[in-house]
Amino acid sequence: MVNVNNVSLQYGSRVLFKDVNIKFTAGNCYGVIGANGAGKSTFLKILSGELEPNTGDVTIEKNKRMSVLKQDQNIYDEDTVRGAVMRGHSRMMEVIVQKDALYAKPDFGDADGLKAAELEEEFAEMDGWNAESNAENLLNSLKVPSELFDTPMSQVEPKIKVKVLLASALFGSPDILLLDEPTNNLDIKSVKWLEDYLMEMGGTIIIVSHNRHFLNKVCTHMCDVDFRAINIFVGNYDFWYETSQLIARQQRDQNKKSEQRAKELQDFIARFSANASKSKQATSRKKELEKLKIEDIKPSNRKYPFVEFKPERVPGNDLLTVEGLTKKGFFENVSFSIKKDDKVAFIADKTTSVTMLFDILMGVQKADSGEFKWGKTITPAYLPQNNDSFFEGCDMTLVQWLGQYSKDNNQEFLRGWLGRMLFSGEEALKKAKVLSGGEKVRCMLARTMLMQGNFLLLDEPTNHLDLESITALNKGMSNTPNNTMFITHDEEIVATVATRIIEIKDGKKVFDKDCPYEEYLEKYC
């Protein structure tokens, strides 16, 4: 158990959170969520002892070991890959060093023998004799090549280092596990393995992640950093989000009777409680959901953009046919045709191959061979991954910038669209060239919606977006009647939007099937 007692933290006049009192208990997995800059990662640093709060303290149950996912990829550069994993159990490594020092003494005496016996007993209790094989098992599970086990970490590529550091955090079955963005730069199979591992793991797990699919899979509780406070709610991310939005809508609608509001919420909670029974962790979660009181849930203070893709015209039956497209260095002999209502998620070992495919289909690039044909009724709307050319050196205000892509240049109309994307008031008069990455993507989403195309191509549309914008985009993609082709590293979008999966590996189409993402993972991945 981890107890957070009256913890407050502020920098100057800026208060991140105040008087936080939380108990994190064993057997539960807590997802820490909040707007960018709310203090999620900072809170994890306070829990780990890396950062001292202004007031209050954090206490850990006696004899419980805490492990933290390291963010510094160079921290174990002097160790081998196997040794770096074992470094995750610092006490075990201390015992090994102390034992070796004792046994190396030329004047080893009775007192040394007694001390050595104590260390050997502690070492055995920590399963030290199996430490190397346990470390190797973790590395094998994460598909780290065995030939790298004795390689110095300084010689290992960053994608492998990420897996080694994760294995190090998991090594030795810690009682308390703190993970900050653990799925970043992990491949699909490694993420799925980690989900299964955490769902079977005991102890207390606390995670900061923007991966909603991951949070939905592993979390029993959400820890919401909002209103300068931190509150815990039962359930996964989807449950927290839907319930919070429902209560917010009801608060805006004061005409409903309180009894009606209560019944609507209770029905919602009951449905979600039933759904939770499918989870491996669900027994305790289901009981907590059934006991949940409506007043225990508060609407979020965070703002969500409004994303809605509405086509100007209904498409005919001929949509898109691709025959034998080849682009040297990217893909070869790729063929497929799009059927009515297809929402196709592309999965690729090199995402640049899909970017090039989309660019060719939109006329930005030319194929080396092969052909493609759009249906006569199709108006594609493209959201490219690289949007630099739309903003570099652009001295226009956002209202002027958006006006380039609108049939209606009325100021009020354009400001309304910008307001949907959270650019209200003076924000709409910002210069386009000074926008942040996330702001640029929100502007590009407004542009894409204004195009009113009836076929969407979206290349990594969640890049640079915060969790709120990703959630809104997910909703817009799920609700649109448009045929859609997309690639994204956001698994929740793939899981909730895609009706078909196309995989490109080593430049060739290796998979193409009408199936949901979960089926693809279970049967074909």
Side-chain angles (χ1 to χ4, degrees), residues 382-395:
Y382 183 30
L383 182 74
Q385 182 178 168
N386 188 337
N387 56 42
D388 289 345
S389 62
F390 291 88
F391 298 98
E392 282 182 352
C394 181
D395 205 40

Side-chain angles (χ1 to χ4, degrees), residues 450-497:
L450 274 172
M451 292 169 72
Q452 294 184 294
N454 54 19
F455 194 115
L456 296 175
L457 289 89
L458 308 176
D459 185 5
E460 293 289 0
T462 67
N463 280 5
H464 307 294
L465 292 182
D466 57 23
L467 200 54
E468 293 72 45
S469 297
I470 293 172
T471 303
L473 172 63
N474 194 160
K475 190 172 182 179
M477 290 175 67
S478 297
N479 292 339
T480 183
N482 288 341
N483 279 88
T484 308
M485 297 197 316
F486 66 95
I487 183 169
T488 178
H489 59 272
D490 188 286
E491 282 189 284
E492 187 69 8
I493 287 181
V494 181
T496 56
V497 174

Side-chain angles (χ1 to χ4, degrees), residues 256-370:
K256 283 189 175 182
K257 295 180 181 179
S258 59
E259 294 84 357
Q260 290 175 318
R261 293 200 299 272
K263 186 178 185 305
E264 189 177 357
L265 272 173
Q266 287 163 350
D267 289 345
F268 178 83
I269 290 169
R271 288 199 307 275
F272 217 98
S273 177
N275 291 339
S277 64
K278 298 176 183 177
S279 169
K280 293 180 182 180
Q281 294 175 317
T283 303
S284 61
R285 189 194 307 185
K286 187 172 185 292
K287 290 178 180 177
E288 288 189 77
L289 282 170
E290 288 169 345
K291 294 185 294 184
L292 189 62
K293 296 179 181 179
I294 295 163
E295 57 266 25
D296 290 340
I297 305 170
K298 298 177 182 178
S300 171
N301 192 38
R302 297 190 286 281
K303 294 182 179 179
Y304 295 79
F306 180 76
V307 179
E308 183 179 41
F309 301 106
K310 295 180 70 173
E312 187 174 32
R313 63 187 295 193
V314 177
N317 292 324
D318 293 330
L319 302 172
L320 172 66
T321 302
V322 175
E323 291 286 349
L325 274 189
T326 295
K327 183 70 174 178
K328 189 176 180 180
F330 293 92
F331 52 82
E332 59 178 296
N333 197 31
V334 170
S335 300
F336 60 87
S337 60
I338 300 299
K339 308 182 301 296
K340 199 93 168 187
D341 300 323
D342 271 351
K343 291 187 177 181
V344 184
F346 281 81
I347 293 173
D349 55 348
K350 295 181 180 178
T351 59
T352 51
S353 62
V354 180
T355 296
M356 178 57 69
L357 173 63
F358 286 3
D359 279 350
I360 289 171
L361 295 178
M362 292 302 299
V364 179
Q365 297 283 346
K366 289 187 177 181
D368 296 328
S369 61

Side-chain angles (χ1 to χ4, degrees), residues 3-243:
N3 283 322
V4 179
N5 310 299
N6 296 314
V7 163
S8 299
L9 184 70
Q10 68 181 80
Y11 296 106
S13 60
R14 184 180 174 226
V15 178
L16 286 182
F17 30 81
K18 186 176 181 181
D19 298 331
V20 175
N21 290 279
I22 296 175
K23 288 184 179 179
F24 296 101
T25 57
N28 289 317
C29 179
Y30 301 85
V32 182
I33 57 173
N36 286 352
K40 302 182 294 294
S41 295
T42 301
F43 183 56
L44 251 61
K45 290 179 180 179
I46 290 175
L47 295 178
S48 69
E50 182 182 342
L51 184 66
E52 285 287 328
N54 298 122
T55 63
D57 57 55
V58 175
T59 59
I60 297 172
E61 191 175 344
K62 190 177 180 180
N63 298 323
K64 298 298 182 183
R65 184 172 74 88
M66 176 182 283
S67 183
V68 182
L69 176 61
K70 307 294 187 198
Q71 297 297 317
D72 181 0
Q73 290 194 2
N74 301 319
I75 190 170
Y76 296 135
D77 272 3
E78 301 304 313
D79 293 285
T80 63
V81 166
R82 186 193 298 103
V85 175
M86 293 171 61
R87 286 281 181 193
H89 199 321
S90 57
R91 178 54 189 163
M92 180 186 290
M93 299 306 292
E94 289 172 6
V95 169
I96 291 173
V97 171
Q98 290 175 23
K99 284 200 311 169
D100 290 346
L102 280 173
Y103 292 138
K105 289 179 67 173
D107 56 343
F108 187 89
D110 291 343
D112 296 321
L114 290 173
K115 180 62 176 176
E118 291 176 4
L119 292 172
E120 291 290 5
E121 183 178 0
E122 185 180 358
F123 188 65
E125 288 175 353
M126 293 185 290
D127 200 22
W129 297 111
N130 295 313
E132 290 194 3
S133 62
N134 289 339
E136 291 175 2
N137 287 339
L138 282 171
L139 291 168
N140 287 328
S141 296
L142 287 164
K143 307 303 180 187
V144 175
S146 57
E147 58 267 25
L148 295 179
F149 290 177
D150 292 309
T151 303
M153 283 284 281
S154 58
Q155 299 177 22
V156 174
E157 63 175 303
K159 284 191 175 181
I160 297 295
K161 279 188 173 183
V162 168
K163 294 184 176 183
V164 176
L165 293 176
L166 178 59
S168 180
L170 301 176
F171 179 72
S173 301
D175 303 292
I176 302 157
L177 180 61
L178 306 184
L179 301 174
D180 191 353
E181 298 292 357
T183 66
N184 277 6
N185 300 311
L186 285 187
D187 56 85
I188 291 173
K189 291 183 179 180
S190 296
V191 171
K192 189 174 186 301
W193 175 84
L194 179 59
E195 289 172 355
D196 293 338
Y197 186 94
L198 294 179
M199 285 193 288
E200 296 294 336
M201 180 180 168
T204 304
I205 307 169
I206 306 172
I207 301 170
V208 170
S209 177
H210 280 78
N211 188 331
R212 296 166 304 132
H213 188 267
F214 180 69
L215 293 176
N216 280 331
K217 280 284 187 180
V218 304
C219 289
T220 60
H221 297 72
M222 300 313 298
C223 188
D224 186 26
V225 185
D226 200 7
F227 299 106
R228 295 183 179 179
I230 303 179
N231 295 295
I232 288 182
F233 303 101
V234 179
N236 60 15
Y237 177 82
D238 274 354
F239 179 76
W240 168 84
Y241 171 74
E242 293 295 343
T243 310

Side-chain angles (χ1 to χ4, degrees), residues 412-478:
E412 188 175 340
F413 175 80
L414 294 172
R415 279 179 171 270
W417 276 90
L418 288 167
R420 286 182 174 193
M421 305 312 292
L422 308 184
F423 298 105
S424 58
E426 294 300 311
E427 287 284 302
L429 300 178
K430 289 172 68 170
K431 296 289 187 180
K433 62 184 179 183
V434 302
L435 297 180
S436 68
E439 289 174 327
K440 288 177 181 178
V441 176
R442 281 190 273 130
C443 281
M444 292 296 290
L445 282 170
R447 170 185 176 272
T448 305
M449 289 187 285
L450 274 172
M451 292 169 72
Q452 294 184 294
N454 54 19
F455 194 115
L456 296 175
L457 289 89
L458 308 176
D459 185 5
E460 293 289 0
T462 67
N463 280 5
H464 307 294
L465 292 182
D466 57 23
L467 200 54
E468 293 72 45
S469 297
I470 293 172
T471 303
L473 172 63
N474 194 160
K475 190 172 182 179
M477 290 175 67
S478 297

